[in-house]
Amino acid sequence: MDRIQMVDLKGQYEKIKNEINAGLQEVFDTAAFVKGGKVTEFQHDLEEYLGVKHVIPVGNGTDALQVALMALGLKPGDEVITPTFTFVATAEVVALLGLTPVLVDVDFDTFNISVDAVRKAITPRTKAIVPVHLFGQNADMEPLLALAEEYGLKVVEDACQSIGSFYSFSDGRRARSGCMGDIGCTSFFPSKNLGCYGDGGAVFTNHDELADAVRAIANHGMTVRYYHDRVGVNSRLDSMQAAVLQVKLKYLDDYVAARQWAASCYDKAFADTEQLIVPSRMSQSTHVFNQYTVKLNNVDREGLREHLNKKGIPTMIYYPVPLHLQKAYKSMRYKAGDFPVAERLCRCVLSLPMHTELTGEQLEKITRSVLEYVEK
C-alpha cells in the first residue's frame, strides 16, 4: 500500500502527465509565458463549465478576493461581514483595503456563515457580505442573497474550497458555487479540487461593469496600455499554470466524484460512532469535499492525532483559532465567548486525508485506526 497523504498530487499527476506535459510544451514552444493563448483558452473553458459570463484569471485566491472588493468601490471604514471560522485571507483583504471586517459566527452543522448572525451584524455602515463556502459545501445562499437585497448589500462569494459544487434554489434553479452573488472568487492552489502547480486564482461575475473593473484593477488599473484610470495591482495567471488547469478542468467532475466516494466510505465507517460527527450535507447544496472534517465528541484530539501519526496517517486542524481571537484581528469589539459555535469548532474539528487518489485499502486503514482510538 502506498504511503497515505493528506493530498496526493504526484499520484494524480501520473495519470494525466502526458496531457500536462504536452500543454506545458506548447507554452514553451510559443514562449508566451504571460497572457498567452493558454490563459484565454482556460478562461473560456471555465466560463463554459461554470455557466458564468465572465472569468478573470488572477495570481491567487487572495488576490481574487482583494480585486473583487476593490471593484465594488468600497471606501475606508465600510463594513464587510464575513465568518470568524475560516482561513485568514477572507478578513485579511478586508483589513488591507482599510475596510472594517465584521466577524460573525457560523452554523455548527455546516461550518458555514450563519444567516441569522449576518442579519444581527448589519449596520448603516455595512456594504458587503463575504460568505465562505467552507470545506466544499455552499453556504445557504438563497436567504443570504435575499438579506443582501433587503439591505442593498453586495455579495462576494469565497468559493476557494468549493469549485464544482452546485446550489439549488427553491424555484428549481441551480447555480455553480461562486456564480450566485455579485462576484465569486476561487483559488487554484495545488491542493484545491481544481489546483495548478503553483499559485493561481480567478474572479467570476455575470455583471459586465464589474468584470471590466476587475480586469482593469488586476492589470495595474489599465484599460488602455499605459493609461491608468484607477489604482490597480499586478495579478495574473501565468500561461504554464493555465495549461495545467485546462487539462485538469476536464477531469474536475471525476475528481469530485472520487472525493465524494471517499467521503461516503468515511461516513459509512463512522456512522454508528457517537464520538465522531461526520460532515452534514445540506439538501440545497452538493458537497465536493475539499476537506473531510469530522467533529470529535469527548475525544482527546491531540491523542488521536498522535495515534494516527504513529500509523503513518496525517491529519490537519482547519482551523485551530477563530479569526476574532487571532492577534492580528483582535478588536475591542470582540472577546472570547462572543462566537461560541466557532470557538467550539476550533476545539473539536479534525480533517482526515482527502484527495482523488485514495484507495479502498487506504480508507480502510484510516477508518480502522481512527475507530481503534475513539472506541477504546
Side-chain angles (χ1 to χ4, degrees):
M1 181 171 57
D2 292 338
R3 182 169 67 90
I4 296 172
Q5 302 179 66
M6 282 299 292
V7 180
D8 184 3
L9 296 176
K10 186 175 186 299
Q12 187 185 71
Y13 165 69
E14 290 294 332
K15 293 181 178 178
I16 55 174
K17 67 184 298 182
N18 290 338
E19 293 176 81
I20 293 288
N21 292 351
L24 291 172
Q25 188 62 56
E26 186 178 337
V27 174
F28 299 147
D29 289 342
T30 61
F33 299 113
V34 176
K35 295 187 177 179
K38 283 293 180 187
V39 177
T40 302
E41 291 172 13
F42 169 65
Q43 171 195 322
H44 292 326
D45 290 348
L46 189 55
E47 286 169 346
E48 182 177 353
Y49 176 85
L50 294 172
V52 71
K53 195 170 182 181
H54 301 283
V55 167
I56 303 97
V58 295
N60 55 64
T62 305
D63 280 2
L65 288 163
Q66 179 176 334
V67 170
L69 288 171
M70 292 174 71
L72 295 179
L74 304 183
K75 306 298 182 184
D78 286 348
E79 295 179 350
V80 179
I81 298 174
T82 199
T84 189
F85 185 70
T86 183
F87 182 60
V88 69
T90 316
E92 184 176 54
V93 295
V94 175
L96 282 171
L97 293 174
L99 309 172
T100 301
V102 175
L103 303 174
V104 297
D105 216 339
V106 295
D107 177 77
F108 183 76
D109 290 335
T110 67
F111 306 109
N112 282 323
I113 195 167
S114 163
V115 179
D116 289 340
V118 172
R119 179 179 287 278
K120 292 175 184 176
I122 293 172
T123 76
R125 295 182 297 279
T126 307
K127 302 300 179 184
I129 307 167
V130 184
V132 181
H133 305 312
L134 202 66
F135 300 150
Q137 183 170 225
N138 290 286
D140 196 1
M141 289 299 292
E142 186 163 13
L144 196 63
L145 290 170
L147 185 61
E149 183 176 5
E150 178 183 348
Y151 285 91
L153 308 177
K154 299 297 185 182
V155 175
V156 177
E157 295 175 68
D158 182 336
C160 290
Q161 298 184 12
S162 60
I163 192 167
S165 63
F166 278 105
Y167 182 90
S168 297
F169 290 85
S170 58
D171 63 4
R173 291 181 298 120
R174 288 210 311 169
R176 291 282 192 182
S177 188
C179 303
M180 295 171 276
D182 296 280
I183 306 181
C185 305
T186 200
S187 167
F188 300 129
F189 189 75
S191 63
K192 303 300 184 185
N193 291 25
L194 179 62
C196 56
Y197 294 163
D199 268 323
V203 177
F204 321 138
T205 185
N206 284 304
H207 302 282
D208 295 343
E209 290 185 4
L210 282 176
D212 290 342
V214 169
R215 289 190 191 97
I217 291 167
N219 189 31
H220 297 288
M222 290 191 295
T223 51
V224 177
R225 192 169 181 83
Y226 299 128
Y227 290 82
H228 307 272
D229 297 329
R230 61 177 77 219
V231 174
V233 298
N234 177 25
S235 184
R236 55 200 174 203
L237 183 70
D238 74 65
S239 300
M240 288 180 287
Q241 303 307 333
V244 171
L245 290 165
Q246 187 178 26
V247 172
K248 294 182 73 174
L249 179 59
K250 296 188 298 183
Y251 298 99
L252 178 55
D253 288 343
D254 293 335
Y255 293 160
V256 168
R259 288 171 177 270
Q260 290 171 335
W261 172 78
S264 71
C265 292
Y266 281 132
D267 286 350
K268 184 177 180 180
F270 300 149
D272 298 323
T273 306
E274 64 180 16
Q275 296 95 325
L276 301 169
I277 304 172
V278 302
S280 66
R281 303 337 187 247
M282 294 170 55
S283 60
Q284 304 96 313
S285 176
T286 58
H287 201 318
V288 296
F289 292 100
N290 184 243
Q291 309 294 346
Y292 185 89
T293 302
V294 297
K295 305 180 191 82
L296 302 179
N297 182 25
N298 294 320
V299 175
D300 177 359
R301 184 168 63 181
E302 289 309 312
L304 173 58
R305 295 189 76 195
E306 182 179 356
H307 169 78
L308 294 175
N309 185 57
K310 289 178 179 177
K311 292 178 176 290
I313 300 170
T315 58
M316 290 292 290
I317 299 173
Y318 305 107
Y319 298 95
V321 181
L323 295 184
H324 69 283
L325 299 181
Q326 298 279 359
K327 289 182 180 179
Y329 297 94
K330 280 188 176 179
S331 165
M332 290 293 290
R333 71 167 70 191
Y334 305 127
K335 63 183 183 302
D338 282 349
F339 304 119
V341 175
E343 292 173 34
R344 180 183 173 191
L345 288 172
C346 287
R347 294 191 297 268
C348 74
V349 292
L350 185 66
S351 294
L352 300 174
M354 173 53 71
H355 54 80
T356 60
E357 308 308 303
L358 282 167
T359 66
E361 184 181 16
Q362 290 175 324
L363 288 162
E364 196 279 329
K365 178 180 178 179
I366 296 167
T367 55
R368 184 181 68 249
S369 299
V370 170
L371 292 171
E372 280 177 4
Y373 186 86
V374 303
E375 294 182 341
K376 65 182 180 180

